[in-house]
Amino acid sequence: MTSADLAYSVCPHDCPSACALSVERLGPDRIGRVHGAKEHPFTDGVVCAKVARYAERVHNPDRLTKPLRRVGAKGEGRFEECSWDDALDMVADAFRAAEAKHGKEAVWPYHYAGTMGLIQRDGIDRLTHVLGYSRQTGNICTGTADPGWFAGVGEKMGTSSLEIADAEVIVLWGTNAVHTQVQVMTHVAKARKAHGAKVVVVDPYRNATAKQADQHLMLRPGTDGALACAVMHVLLRDGLADRDFLARMTDFGAATEAHLKDRTPEWAARITGIPAAEIEAFARLYGSTKRAYIRFGYGFTRQRNGAAAMHAATCLPAMTGAWSVRGGGGLYSYSGGFHVDQSLVMASDRKDPSVRGLDMSRIGPILTGDRDALGDGPGVHAMLIQNTNPVVVAPEHRKVRQGFSREDLFVCVHEQIMTETARYADVVLPATMFLEHDDLYKAGGHTWLQVGRKVIDGPGETRENHWVLNELMKRLGADHPAMHMTAWELIDETLGRSGWPGAEEVWAAGGIDVSPRNDHGDGGCFHNGFPQADGRFHFHPDWTTLGRLGAMLPSAPDHVAIIDEVDDDRPFRLVAAPARNFLNSSFTETPTSRKQEKRPTVMIHPDDAAAHGIDEGQAVAIGNARGRVRLHAALFDGLPRGVLVVESIWPNADFPGGEGINTLTSADVPPPAGGAVFHDTAVWLVADDAPA
């Protein structure tokens, strides 16, 4: 195709990569193949397969194209078409009725990261703040990871992903990059080709990324903190720690060293299941060079002890001084380095901190009236949902489904297809996809601030989030400057307030690099100090400043034994890992992704399968006190005994029995500040003789 037929855009999905895209535009309302932009230094011409075939989503015959109102029972999926005016009037009337009867906090706008664009994702907070509705708190994705990073490092910044290519040792810790961050593997390949870099993967099973590693540390889920402490023990014992860096740039002291003296490889082996010799070998490899780069993932933090595990892992580059050199240190997320002022988008000036906040990860307990989850406020009686599908992705599915089945709960869902959540709605509004509106993007996995312009027209009567929110606010009698701006005008004003070039300039440039890495030469990103008040990395954080449950966590890096341990009744630990062809519940509707993922399966070690009389492909059930999930066995020796792995969040309807994997996951609140514990679940396993 000619360059005139290619349009620049940015991938909006819940992924650190925020890929720069080159989109084949076949007409005013049609696209072809999607490519990674070759000129973007991080994307580097690469894009995941599911986004490459994005035309399957955009032109899916199941796209919602007209507003709908419910005419059947909740969850039945029976609707009739109506006008936009009628639909929005119904929503406004329901919100006013809930407020009149129960107070403003009975209305709860709920959202997440179906798009990562700052305008279309976060504008719903404008509705919340201006109208005084219940605020959404917590974070279903990073609730445990963020405080773990803040505890030691201090801000969501780190070594640029481009410096992976300069590293001599690369550790992929708790991230299956082949499935979730394909560009990371591109830069890993560059390091291997340039100077034979060694790659280590820390993960509970031999996934697609671990299969490419020089060393795979296959640990039991929830034991990462023990591994990190044992590595630090070896670094100190064998003279591989940088004591000058520790003295100048951290709060490391005699108490830290004494604490780690007992955290031997043998101690960690008993906890993690990794042989002590493998831990020793990894420690020596890691300590052999300062050009050791850790790509910290999200997966290993989705445990009750996830924050402590993240903190312990971040201590490793501080121990060796790897933060002080180019190609050393590591990255969890760079999203704290963009300095984007979203106050206009979110109406932050109208935020009232006295208004109740509700933890999004606890939507099941909240909607079923759990008083601890609701706090002192009323029950939730009206919701607007954008950019998320909680009936599938939220923990404690049975409670979520029970809550959405309430006849006294009014729900409006603004969505692209008829998701399981939308089937429980009273009003369903048709939403645009990212190529059909303008937006502003920052990334977690790289340092480019990007703007995406509308590429094609959306089908039927689809409308962008920004427009829907403004129209609803007008009907509710609200006013705010952002309501009188187009999305493009809001992007431009937001960039200006943030000290960045205007929207047109950022878009034309294909993004702007906000990283100062080119200023530090061969020095590392934190060679002059850390973004803490004292400028030092903290081995001994004050967890109480990071959340109300901070007192549950230790003052030094450690393994914290608060996970959902196995017992006689539940002898297996379950990991609900990401699939290659799905992204949360997105892409579960596209034909090719569904074909390639085939059906919901559970990976079982062959010895465990034999002990339970289970054969390859057999129907099985896994469960706990929260419920029972039926699926099929996939025998696999690439995981420890006593561990089960279910990849992907298939729709509930794809499981025999109609209940998906989040039937089993818990909405318990992990320290210090909450979050979801999707990989911290003990279950039983049985052969399932019921028809499947």
Side-chain angles (χ1 to χ4, degrees):
M1 303 186 78
T2 67
S3 60
D5 300 318
L6 297 175
Y8 168 79
S9 191
V10 184
C11 182
H13 282 282
D14 188 9
C15 165
S17 295
C19 294
L21 304 177
S22 181
V23 182
E24 295 177 2
R25 181 164 45 197
L26 305 182
D29 60 355
R30 194 153 197 89
I31 66 164
R33 193 77 173 170
V34 175
H35 309 271
K38 295 179 181 178
E39 62 275 14
H40 191 277
F42 176 74
T43 303
D44 200 20
V46 176
V47 72
C48 68
K50 53 186 173 286
V51 171
R53 53 178 183 265
Y54 210 83
E56 284 191 312
R57 290 204 83 231
V58 172
H59 306 306
N60 192 310
D62 293 330
R63 280 285 299 269
L64 294 169
T65 59
K66 291 182 179 294
L68 305 170
R69 58 186 169 202
R70 178 169 64 93
V71 295
K74 289 204 169 189
E76 186 181 357
R78 288 178 55 217
F79 297 89
E80 66 179 13
E81 295 178 1
C82 61
S83 69
W84 267 103
D85 282 338
D86 286 349
L88 290 171
D89 287 346
M90 287 177 62
V91 179
D93 288 345
F95 280 22
R96 279 192 292 263
E99 178 181 341
K101 187 173 183 179
H102 304 284
K104 290 183 176 182
E105 291 182 342
V107 182
W108 189 25
Y110 189 90
H111 67 291
Y112 200 56
T115 177
M116 294 290 279
L118 304 185
I119 307 302
Q120 309 292 350
R121 182 190 68 186
D122 297 332
I124 195 170
D125 282 339
R126 185 166 67 250
L127 172 73
T128 299
H129 296 155
V130 173
L131 274 300
Y133 297 147
S134 282
R135 296 178 293 110
Q136 179 175 292
T137 61
N139 191 302
I140 203 168
C141 176
T142 63
T144 49
D146 280 1
W149 185 265
F150 296 149
V153 176
E155 182 55 270
K156 288 172 78 169
M157 299 172 66
T159 310
S160 167
S161 294
L162 298 188
E163 293 187 35
I164 292 174
D166 298 317
E168 297 172 346
V169 174
I170 302 164
V171 183
L172 303 175
W173 197 313
T175 179
N176 185 359
V178 170
H179 282 192
T180 62
Q181 301 177 66
V182 65
Q183 283 82 11
V184 168
M185 302 308 294
T186 300
H187 298 288
V188 167
K190 292 178 181 179
R192 277 180 150 164
K193 183 177 181 180
H195 42 264
K198 298 297 183 182
V199 178
V200 180
V201 168
V202 181
D203 205 281
Y205 75 113
R206 192 170 67 241
N207 54 38
T209 305
K211 290 175 182 177
Q212 299 188 28
D214 297 289
Q215 183 181 15
H216 174 204
L217 297 167
M218 191 165 64
L219 76 178
R220 297 188 185 110
T223 63
D224 301 78
L227 172 62
C229 287
V231 172
M232 286 187 277
H233 171 95
V234 174
L235 295 172
L236 290 165
R237 184 197 69 194
D238 293 357
L240 299 173
D242 185 334
R243 291 187 177 272
D244 177 66
F245 185 87
L246 289 171
R248 289 187 300 107
M249 306 301 293
T250 81
D251 65 356
F252 181 91
T256 324
E257 188 152 8
H259 167 74
L260 292 169
K261 191 173 182 62
D262 295 330
R263 270 56 178 178
T264 64
E266 292 74 19
W267 165 83
R270 292 191 293 272
I271 297 170
T272 64
I274 303 171
E278 290 187 25
I279 297 174
E280 294 261 6
F282 170 52
R284 288 194 294 272
L285 175 65
Y286 183 79
S288 68
T289 175
K290 289 188 187 298
R291 295 189 185 276
Y293 189 108
I294 304 179
R295 188 62 175 93
F296 301 89
Y298 300 83
F300 79 102
T301 71
R302 289 172 182 154
Q303 312 272 349
R304 288 165 177 80
N305 63 6
M310 172 65 88
H311 172 250
T314 64
C315 291
L316 297 187
M319 184 68 69
T320 64
W323 290 116
S324 65
V325 302
R326 193 176 190 89
L331 182 68
Y332 153 57
S333 171
Y334 202 86
S335 62
F338 287 85
H339 308 297
V340 176
D341 180 354
Q342 290 185 252
S343 58
L344 185 61
V345 176
M346 302 166 70
S348 303
D349 60 318
R350 305 286 289 277
K351 179 180 178 180
D352 182 353
S354 70
V355 172
R356 174 182 65 179
L358 295 173
D359 186 341
M360 69 171 303
S361 300
R362 306 203 73 204
I363 185 172
I366 286 166
L367 294 186
T368 52
D370 184 296
R371 183 41 56 189
D372 179 65
L374 286 167
D376 296 331
V380 173
H381 290 273
M383 300 182 72
L384 169 66
I385 298 176
Q386 289 184 326
N387 310 325
T388 188
N389 184 13
V391 174
V392 176
V393 305
E396 297 193 6
H397 164 70
R398 286 185 175 178
K399 289 184 178 179
V400 177
R401 187 182 60 197
Q402 179 186 345
F404 276 106
S405 298
R406 286 170 38 205
E407 286 296 334
D408 66 336
L409 173 66
F410 176 89
V411 176
C412 172
V413 173
H414 187 203
E415 214 9 304
Q416 298 162 347
I417 65 165
M418 185 61 72
T419 63
E420 290 183 63
T421 304
R423 290 175 66 88
Y424 283 88
D426 298 279
V427 172
V428 179
L429 305 175
T432 50
M433 291 187 178
F434 78 101
L435 296 170
E436 300 158 359
H437 56 237
D438 302 327
D439 219 333
L440 171 64
Y441 301 91
K442 60 182 183 179
H446 64 73
T447 59
W448 274 264
L449 183 64
Q450 300 174 94
V451 168
R453 295 197 89 156
K454 178 179 175 180
V455 173
I456 57 172
D457 295 328
E461 298 179 29
T462 53
R463 298 289 186 271
E464 64 177 352
N465 291 3
H466 178 67
W467 182 89
V468 169
L469 293 166
N470 290 343
E471 290 297 311
L472 182 56
M473 291 177 71
K474 291 175 187 176
R475 284 167 169 78
L476 291 165
D479 192 31
H480 188 269
M483 292 171 55
H484 308 289
M485 307 171 75
T486 66
W488 187 259
E489 291 168 341
L490 189 52
I491 293 168
D492 193 60
E493 178 67 19
T494 296
L495 287 168
R497 289 184 174 208
S498 307
W500 300 117
E504 190 71 37
E505 183 176 345
V506 174
W507 175 78
I512 55 173
D513 187 2
V514 305
S515 171
R517 71 177 181 280
N518 293 322
D519 299 332
H520 63 63
D522 288 332
C525 63
F526 296 135
H527 70 294
N528 283 328
F530 291 83
Q532 298 276 20
D534 60 1
R536 293 172 175 263
F537 178 88
H538 292 174
F539 282 86
H540 300 277
D542 180 359
W543 290 105
T544 63
T545 65
L546 296 169
R548 63 183 180 86
L549 300 177
M552 294 177 62
L553 298 177
S555 61
D558 212 345
H559 168 67
V560 184
I562 57 173
I563 60 176
D564 189 14
E565 291 283 9
V566 299
D567 54 33
D568 291 342
D569 295 326
R570 302 167 306 143
F572 291 92
R573 291 273 291 165
L574 172 66
V575 174
R580 187 167 192 166
N581 293 284
F582 298 155
L583 202 169
N584 302 325
S585 68
S586 296
F587 299 94
T588 59
E589 77 286 354
T590 57
T592 303
S593 289
R594 292 181 62 84
K595 181 179 179 180
Q596 293 188 359
E597 293 299 329
K598 297 179 181 177
R599 65 182 179 183
T601 59
V602 54
M603 298 181 192
I604 309 169
H605 192 282
D607 292 342
D608 286 330
H612 286 73
I614 293 170
D615 296 322
E616 174 69 28
Q618 183 175 347
V620 299
I622 56 178
N624 53 28
R626 286 179 284 275
R628 175 188 182 102
V629 173
R630 297 168 59 199
L631 62 180
H632 290 82
L635 274 55
F636 180 53
D637 64 2
L639 72 174
R641 288 203 63 180
V643 173
L644 305 176
V645 175
V646 176
E647 288 188 338
S648 83
I649 308 178
W650 281 91
N652 294 292
D654 284 305
F655 289 80
E659 292 188 311
I661 198 62
N662 281 316
T663 303
L664 307 179
T665 57
S666 170
D668 286 357
V669 183
V677 293
F678 291 118
H679 306 324
D680 191 357
T681 307
V683 296
W684 44 255
L685 165 72
V686 295
D688 186 3
D689 295 327

